[in-house]
Amino acid sequence: MKNILIVDDDEKICWAFEQFLTDEGYNPIIANNAEEGLRQIENNRPDLVMLDIRLPGISGLDALQEIKKIDPQIQIVIMTAYDNVEMTITAMRLQAFDFLPKPIDLDQVKTILNRVSRLKTVRKELTLDWKGQADQTQKYQLIGKSSQMQEVYKMIGIMASNNDTVLIEGENGTGKELVARAIHHNSLRQDDRFVAVNCGAIPDELLESELFGYVPGAFTGASVQGKPGKFELADGGTIFLDEVSNMSVALQVKLQRTLQEGEIERLGGTETIKINTRIIAATNQNLSESAQRGGFREDLYYRLNQVLIKLPLLRDRVDDIPPLVEHFLNQINRELNQTVQGVSHETMKILQNYGWPGNVRELENTVKSAVVLSRSDVILPEHLPTRIQDPVLTDNALQMDLKSILPTIVKRAIELEKDSLYDELINILDAELIPTVIKTCNQNQTQAAKLLGVSRTTLIQKMKKLKYKGS
Ligand SMILES: Nc1ncnc2c1ncn2[C@@H]1O[C@H](COP(=O)(O)OP(=O)(O)OP(=O)(O)O)[C@@H](O)[C@H]1O
Ligand SMILES: [Mg+2]
C-alpha cells in the first residue's frame, strides 16, 4: 500500500497527516474538498482515503458513495467528532471501513494502516469471482460436487419424474427443505404450489386443522366460512411435512389414512375430498429407529419411506465448503449490494476444519455475520466466531479414533444382545473425563461444571455415580 488520500478542509490536520504518513513511508495526497478528492481518486487510485465528514461543497457522505462507485476496493475511513453518532452509523452502513474520531490519535491511525495493508496482502489470495455471476436463474440452487451430493442430485432427478412419497432424512441445516423444493420445482407439478408445514412448530390441535381444514362451526372459534387445509391448498402441487416425527399418534393415524385413500375430510365435515397432492416428508431423526422403538407408527413410516433421501453432514464433505462459501458470498453481494471478494486461505482452512454441528445453515450464518463484521471486502479469521476460530477438538482426532473403534464395539454389543450401549459408552467417557476436568480445575467444582457446560448438581451426580470424590 502506497497512496493515501486525505480529504479535509482543516489545513492543520492535512499537514499533520502529510508529515506522519511521509515518515511512515507512504505517499500522502492532500485534497481540501470532496470535488478535489474525487479528481485525485480518478488520477491516483489511492488504496485508502481518510475522509472528513463535514466538508464545504459535496458532503463527506456523498463523497463516500461516489468513491465506492468509482472503485469498491478503495477503503474509506471517515473522520468525525465523537458525538456525531448518527453520521457514524450512516457512514458504516454505506460501507466505510472504519471511523476515526477527532481529535486524531496517531496510534489509532497506525492500527488502521496495518489493517488495510493486511487486507491488501490477503486480497491477492482471493479466488472469488464476485461479480454476481453465479447462476441467478436457478432459484433453488444446490451447491456441492462431492460424491455424496451427486447421489442426492441423482435422487432429486429421479423423484422429480414421478409422484412417489419421499422421506428426507438429515440433521439440522443439511438442506432438507431445499431438496424438497428442488424436487417440486423440477417436477411436472412445478406450476402448482409447494406448501410447507412445520409439524414440529405447530401445536397438535392446530396442526390437524392446518393440514385438513375445517367446515363452518367445526369448533368454537372456527370461522363461518370454514377453511381449506394445506393438503387441499397444495392440490396438484406438493406438500412438505417438515419434522414429521413430531406428529401425535392420532394425527399419524389420520395421515396414514390420507396417504392410503388419497382423500381427506375437513374437520367437522362428512364429505370426502379427493386430493392429488404429492407428499414429501422430512425428519432430523432416524425415523426407522423411532418406528422400531414405537415412537412413530410403523405402517406410516413404511408409507412415507417409499423412497429415502439421506442428506450428508457438512463435515463429511469438506470439499464442498469452498464452493458453498463462494455461493453465500455471491448471494450476500447481490442481496446487500456489497462487493465482498472472498475469504483468506487461512480463514478457509479454519472453516474446513470445523465440525459444523448446524451444517450448511450454520455455515451460511457464519459467512453472513463475518461479512458484517469484516467492514471490508475480505474475510479474515478474526471475523469468525470464537467457537469456530478455536474449536477444542481441532483436527477431529477424537472423531477419527472413534470411527476406527466403534464398529467393533457395536458388533460386539449386537453379539451380546446389549440394550444399553449408549449409556455404557457415556459412562466410559464420564469415567475418564470427569476426574480429568476436576483435577485440572484444581477441585473447583463450579469451574469444572462451567467448563463441561452442565449444572453443578449434574456434575455432583455424575461424581457420585462414578464414586469419585475428587483428589
Ligand atoms: N447444498 C446446498 N447448497 C446451497 N445452499 C444450501 C445447501 N444446503 C443447504 N443450503 C442452505 O442452508 C440453509 C438451510 O437449509 P434448509 O433449510 O433446507 O435445511 P434443513 O435441513 O431444512 O434445516 P433445519 O433442520 O434447520 O430445518 C438454507 O438457507 C439453504 O438454502
Ligand atoms: Mg428445515
Side-chain angles (χ1 to χ4, degrees), residues 98-166:
D98 208 340
F99 87 103
L100 194 60
K102 286 185 173 181
I104 301 222
D105 170 359
L106 288 178
D107 279 341
Q108 237 175 319
V109 175
K110 247 189 204 170
T111 315
I112 289 178
L113 292 176
N114 285 338
R115 279 172 50 215
V116 176
S117 57
R118 236 181 99 213
L119 268 185
K120 261 200 92 73
T121 322
V122 285
R123 187 172 287 130
K124 294 202 191 87
E125 305 171 350
L126 304 177
T127 49
L128 177 58
D129 179 15
W130 62 268
K131 293 176 192 66
Q133 283 164 352
D135 191 353
Q136 295 188 31
T137 50
Q138 221 177 321
K139 208 159 160 207
Y140 299 101
Q141 203 184 3
L142 280 143
I143 305 292
K145 294 205 169 93
S146 59
S147 55
Q148 296 100 312
M149 285 311 288
Q150 301 283 0
E151 253 338 281
V152 172
Y153 303 151
K154 238 175 23 203
M155 291 303 289
I156 292 174
I158 296 171
M159 298 321 291
S161 60
N162 64 38
N163 278 318
D164 289 351
T165 302
V166 183

Side-chain angles (χ1 to χ4, degrees), residues 171-178 198 240 242-243 282 361:
E171 286 191 16
N172 291 336
T174 43
K176 298 183 289 293
E177 181 155 353
L178 194 60
N198 188 336
F240 175 54
D242 204 358
E243 297 190 38
R361 184 189 301 287

Side-chain angles (χ1 to χ4, degrees), residues 68-103:
K68 282 286 170 194
K69 268 190 230 152
I70 297 171
D71 184 349
Q73 287 199 17
I74 298 178
Q75 302 301 342
I76 303 162
V77 173
I78 56 151
M79 299 185 285
T80 177
Y82 254 127
D83 50 10
N84 206 340
V85 176
E86 232 164 82
M87 203 72 103
T88 312
I89 293 175
T90 312
M92 294 309 269
R93 190 167 52 73
L94 293 173
Q95 300 307 311
F97 180 65
D98 208 340
F99 87 103
L100 194 60
K102 286 185 173 181

Side-chain angles (χ1 to χ4, degrees), residues 19 28 45 150 178 206 326 333 354 372 382 407 433 443:
Q19 299 302 310
R45 275 306 141 98
Q150 301 283 0
L178 194 60
L206 272 184
E326 183 166 333
N333 280 338
Y354 179 63
V372 174
E382 64 253 38
L433 183 63
Q443 312 300 320

Side-chain angles (χ1 to χ4, degrees), residues 377-443:
D377 53 2
V378 174
I379 293 171
L380 302 173
E382 64 253 38
H383 303 135
L384 303 175
T386 40
R387 68 167 197 289
I388 295 175
Q389 277 182 53
D390 311 303
V392 175
L393 307 169
T394 36
D395 53 0
N396 291 340
L398 178 62
Q399 208 180 336
M400 296 312 289
D401 285 350
L402 284 174
K403 241 187 193 149
S404 63
I405 55 170
L406 278 179
T408 324
I409 295 178
V410 173
K411 261 191 219 134
R412 185 85 185 117
I414 294 172
E415 280 164 22
L416 295 173
E417 296 180 2
K418 292 244 180 220
D419 58 5
S420 57
L421 178 60
Y422 198 65
D423 285 340
E424 281 185 41
L425 284 173
I426 300 279
N427 289 341
I428 293 170
L429 177 68
D430 276 355
E432 294 304 319
L433 183 63
I434 304 272
T436 309
V437 170
I438 299 225
K439 266 183 220 150
T440 316
C441 292
N442 292 323
Q443 312 300 320

